[in-house]
Amino acid sequence: MLESVGRALREMTRIAASPYSMWRDIAITNKKQIANALLKLEQHLAQIRENLDTRALEDEFNRAHKLKNHSPERQR
């Protein structure tokens, strides 16, 4: 599947090549923060799902566009 999805997904999933032992220690050390971030992500995804047929979806794309334009990579 990865062969057909292109470079963007390969770059986003590159970090998954790191060994589990490293991520286990990171997860254990940061359990509370990771759980909180995952909860916020779940809530945000649910909000997007609920607004797929509304103008709120356009707002999400506009926020993503602004974020992309202000990323450190963009400012090089």
Side-chain angles (χ1 to χ4, degrees):
M1 182 174 135
L2 282 178
E3 297 82 25
S4 64
V5 296
R7 182 176 170 217
L9 183 61
R10 283 193 300 273
E11 286 298 316
M12 288 189 302
T13 58
R14 180 176 45 88
I15 199 165
S18 300
Y20 167 72
S21 59
M22 182 184 80
W23 290 112
R24 179 197 61 224
D25 293 343
I26 290 170
I28 290 170
T29 303
N30 298 286
K31 182 178 178 178
K32 185 176 180 180
Q33 294 87 346
I34 293 170
N36 188 39
L38 288 172
L39 177 60
K40 288 179 181 179
L41 177 60
E42 291 168 2
Q43 291 170 340
H44 193 86
L45 290 172
Q47 179 184 4
I48 292 171
R49 184 184 61 238
E50 292 167 9
N51 290 307
L52 285 174
D53 59 352
T54 71
R55 290 291 298 231
L57 183 61
E58 181 181 1
D59 295 339
E60 287 295 330
F61 274 87
N62 288 334
R63 278 193 288 280
H65 182 74
K66 286 179 185 175
L67 179 64
K68 173 64 178 157
N69 286 337
H70 290 93
S71 69
E73 179 181 309
R74 179 84 174 178
Q75 296 175 9
R76 288 185 204 177

